[in-house]
Amino acid sequence: MGRRRQSVTIKHVAADAGVSLQTVSRVINNEPNVRPAMKAKVQASIDKLGYVPSIAARRMSGSRSYLILAINDRDRTIADWQARDGRDWVDQMLLGGMLTAAERGYRMIFELVDTHSDHVERELGAAIAALQPDGVIVTPPHSENPQITGFLAESGIPFARIGSTEEGPGIRMTMGDELLAGKATDHLIELGHTRIGFIAGPDEYSLAGWRVDGWREAMENAELDCEGLLEKGDFSFESGLPAARALLDRATPPTAIIASSDQMALATLDVAKERGLRVPQDLSIVSFDNTPVVRFCTPALTALDQPIARTAARAVELLIDLRNNGIPEAPVVVEGELIVRGSTARAPSERKN
Amino acid sequence: MGRRRQSVTIKHVAADAGVSLQTVSRVINNEPNVRPAMKAKVQASIDKLGYVPSIAARRMSGSRSYLILAINDRDRTIADWQARDGRDWVDQMLLGGMLTAAERGYRMIFELVDTHSDHVERELGAAIAALQPDGVIVTPPHSENPQITGFLAESGIPFARIGSTEEGPGIRMTMGDELLAGKATDHLIELGHTRIGFIAGPDEYSLAGWRVDGWREAMENAELDCEGLLEKGDFSFESGLPAARALLDRATPPTAIIASSDQMALATLDVAKERGLRVPQDLSIVSFDNTPVVRFCTPALTALDQPIARTAARAVELLIDLRNNGIPEAPVVVEGELIVRGSTARAPSERKN
DNA sequence: CTCACGATTGATAACGTTCTCATTCAAATC
DNA sequence: GATTTGAATGAGAACGTTATCAATCGTGAG
């Protein structure tokens, strides 16, 4: 098995155009100080020969690898995958980031890393040493793991923290969770609901807290009481069941519930059926995810669409342009919207308050 | 922006262990003819320094890039993605392939390419030239596009054709579509159904034909008539509606329908509701996909689970081991299974045949 | 007309690894 | 004991690109 060679290299182009290697390099990198005539001549040779630069060689020689690394939590990703659901994060990250990266001549590579392992740094370090990416995208809960963010900061590789606004190194990005929760709450208030329950996600995720904040603020703005209307889950279907039951077991149960994940929203739907409650006539439900399942369950759920793909795309752009623009001071917000479907309706008329 | 250097290189290891570069190289590549004592000494230095080889440098020098390229159809992938559904192919390919590749020190990169464009070869060629992957995984309909398979064969890069068994270059892989369709049909026959409709996929996909074959064979084995029980769609929800209507509009409509995709199965479910048919009492439905939606619709659909992730994983393994094992003569079958849920039941008792 | 200066081009040395071939050394053969 | 063989190690070139610095070319100022 001999050495495998690139079919057309910069040398062939240089020879064909009758210029030096360096000039060809300048043209493909769109560098200044190349005369238009020269540029055209070189470009013609490139097109004629179908030359494409090797990213391996570029990495070897230059300061860029044209690779963006996206890391996700392995346990959660595999668990979601085996459950055959909720994989939208990975999926959307992939597509949003991949397409944007490809447009700029970059590639995105996914890496699954265990957040809760004591050798996160080693695992992540190995990936970085092997690939030498130009940027790293870190998703929750990695993005809030100081071991990981610290390691990345130390290694000097630019990175974007998605779902983390805490001061610190890296580009901070969110999907406006407070705003989203506020939108959902306002929607329900407009429909006349006054007792709006909220099922939160685990504390490990800052965004879980922001969502609660957004709900609480909207409630207080409307002078509504939050007392006893907050339950906690861990985003899973199973955790949603007791949370929904606790809310609906109250003496004056909520007429609407916002769940922090689609799985917990589906659990709420199940509990409603179990209690003989009609959705949306007796109980309105809003989900915080907008994965396919919430469209096809009955009724289709009103949901908050988190623009994960757009966020990933934006992260890729910011990382690529970092060398020119530097990192944004403030957190970058890529906001989503409320998609109204069949699970929310006017509040049932009250007999007593 | 200066040259970015790898922190620990093979040189550092060689210096630390007091051996030549080549010896270190032999150890990391697990080559023969290294004395155990020497190997241990070098390995100790590697561990001590935390050395990880650079894939860029390995590609530059050697015959391997440690990259596997997986290509998917861009149009279909983006369309599915925007529809916020049916993205399981990409998703499972990614996870199945990625995990297996990572175990072997490889990475998988996704590339979206337009099958129906006249410059497929250029697009694919650019990706290959840039990345120089050690293997390519090609999914339908790419895997049946002679432009693509021909180009790959010519370029000499090993590749796996998923969903294509036609003679030709590359590793041939299927998910046993005929067997799967047979399983579904047999399941319905066991439940007493005699008129079992089938909604096929587009001709562009060989596997669509195999599924029809599997259904037809099972029907014929049971001496049942297929006449007028076959309709065609294009895997989309919209195409499923007229197909399902055509089947149910017959004088003696089928009591069970197998749909070649989840979207078409959901369409069939909608048409049944529209006709006032109860599922599964009046009509049984089997889907050929097993994406999350079919679990959460009402009733949850009995479905065929296509082991896409396992297939992708197997493809990665075969491609990596190609240099030792060569390519398998016969098509590699990674078979899936039938998952029985609430959409299939005993056939309604017949008044007349 | 000469000089200086910026714009444009080129030559050469890296980058980190593997390939190829040469060398050493020990064991096996005659 | 000399010769052959094969295993174990090493030295240097090569891979395709960019960084660095040197050389050349115009062009406007003096």
Side-chain angles (χ1 to χ4, degrees), chain A:
Chain A
M1 179 105 2
R3 210 173 276 244
R4 199 175 60 191
R5 293 154 198 257
Q6 185 123 337
S7 49
V8 181
T9 74
I10 204 169
K11 274 187 194 158
H12 300 118
V13 177
D16 184 82
V19 299
S20 74
L21 302 183
Q22 192 48 40
T23 300
V24 179
S25 175
R26 281 192 257 265
V27 171
I28 55 184
N29 288 295
N30 211 11
E31 280 175 24
N33 301 343
V34 180
R35 263 199 288 254
M38 174 67 82
K39 187 167 177 176
K41 186 169 71 173
V42 172
Q43 190 60 53
S45 291
I46 290 175
D47 293 341
K48 185 176 107 189
L49 300 175
Y51 166 71
V52 177
S54 148
I55 72 163
R58 290 182 124 176
R59 169 63 204 109
M60 279 301 294
S61 174
S63 57
R64 280 179 292 186
S65 65
Y66 296 89
L67 296 177
I68 301 285
L69 188 67
I71 63 173
N72 271 75
D73 190 52
R74 185 190 285 125
D75 284 347
R76 177 162 286 271
T77 305
I78 295 179
D80 284 351
W81 176 54
Q82 285 171 343
R84 302 201 54 103
D85 199 55
R87 279 157 288 166
D88 276 80
W89 259 84
V90 170
D91 207 17
Q92 296 195 46
M93 287 279 307
L94 172 73
L95 278 162
M98 196 167 64
L99 289 169
T100 305
E103 276 169 20
R104 308 281 299 263
Y106 281 65
R107 316 277 159 175
M108 197 164 93
I109 295 188
F110 254 62
E111 188 82 16
L112 299 182
V113 172
D114 289 323
T115 292
H116 300 294
S117 128
D118 49 351
H119 50 263
V120 216
E121 292 163 7
R122 191 141 46 81
E123 242 186 306
L124 184 54
I128 287 175
L131 297 167
Q132 307 256 125
D134 294 336
V136 180
I137 299 178
V138 198
T139 55
H142 286 317
S143 49
E144 314 199 56
N145 181 335
Q147 257 190 96
I148 289 187
T149 55
F151 177 80
L152 286 171
E154 237 176 87
S155 70
I157 296 191
F159 64 103
R161 281 152 46 199
I162 294 184
S164 167
T165 53
E166 215 172 299
E167 288 271 349
I171 301 171
R172 295 176 279 163
M173 304 192 72
T174 80
M175 291 183 283
D177 295 78
E178 282 142 321
L179 300 167
L180 283 170
K183 277 184 189 177
T185 312
D186 289 343
H187 166 66
L188 293 167
I189 291 173
E190 274 170 32
L191 288 171
H193 294 271
T194 54
R195 293 192 308 281
I196 301 170
F198 197 95
I199 304 179
D203 294 329
E204 187 186 10
Y205 293 73
S206 288
L207 54 81
W210 303 334
R211 293 173 185 183
V212 174
D213 294 344
W215 163 72
R216 201 186 295 277
E217 195 184 319
M219 292 292 274
E220 282 167 3
N221 280 346
E223 299 186 349
L224 296 173
D225 199 0
C226 296
E227 189 60 31
L229 289 171
L230 179 63
E231 289 292 332
K232 193 172 288 179
D234 65 4
F235 291 144
S236 74
F237 184 86
E238 285 68 28
S239 75
L241 296 171
R245 288 194 190 111
L247 287 173
L248 295 174
D249 279 346
R250 285 174 51 82
T252 53
T255 59
I257 292 179
I258 303 174
S260 291
S261 76
D262 59 348
Q263 293 299 299
M264 299 197 296
L266 291 168
T268 306
L269 191 60
D270 271 20
V271 171
K273 279 183 193 162
E274 175 185 302
R275 294 279 194 278
L277 293 170
R278 292 165 305 162
V279 175
Q281 294 90 335
D282 303 324
L283 180 70
S284 287
I285 299 177
V286 178
S287 170
F288 228 101
D289 287 331
N290 187 28
T291 55
V293 290
V294 308
R295 265 176 57 210
F296 289 96
C297 61
T298 337
L301 299 185
T302 292
L304 294 157
D305 189 42
Q306 301 174 79
I308 299 169
R310 273 196 290 134
T311 305
R314 191 91 191 83
V316 167
E317 279 177 351
L318 288 168
L319 287 170
I320 293 178
D321 293 334
L322 206 71
R323 39 175 59 221
N324 307 320
N325 303 342
I327 92 168
E329 293 276 330
V332 177
V333 181
V334 181
E335 200 182 334
E337 54 193 274
L338 180 73
I339 295 176
V340 179
R341 297 206 187 83
S343 68
T344 48
R346 285 225 132 269
S349 54
E350 311 268 348
R351 278 157 304 181
K352 53 184 175 186
N353 201 10

Side-chain angles (χ1 to χ4, degrees), chain B residues 3 5-6 9-10 22 25 29 51 54 58 61:
Chain B
R3 212 171 275 244
R5 293 152 198 262
Q6 184 122 337
T9 73
I10 204 170
Q22 192 48 42
S25 175
N29 289 295
Y51 166 72
S54 147
R58 291 181 121 175
S61 174

Side-chain angles (χ1 to χ4, degrees), chain B residues 87-170:
Chain B
R87 281 156 287 166
D88 276 80
W89 260 84
V90 170
D91 206 19
Q92 296 194 46
M93 287 280 305
L94 172 74
L95 277 162
M98 196 167 64
L99 290 168
T100 306
E103 277 168 19
R104 308 281 299 263
Y106 281 66
R107 316 277 158 175
M108 197 163 92
I109 294 188
F110 254 62
E111 188 82 15
L112 298 182
V113 172
D114 288 323
T115 293
H116 300 295
S117 127
D118 50 351
H119 49 262
V120 216
E121 291 163 5
R122 191 142 45 82
E123 243 187 306
L124 184 54
I128 288 176
L131 297 166
Q132 309 255 123
D134 293 338
V136 180
I137 299 177
V138 198
T139 55
H142 287 318
S143 50
E144 313 199 56
N145 180 335
Q147 258 190 94
I148 289 187
T149 54
F151 177 80
L152 285 170
E154 239 176 84
S155 70
I157 296 191
F159 65 101
R161 280 152 46 199
I162 295 185
S164 167
T165 52
E166 216 172 297
E167 288 271 347

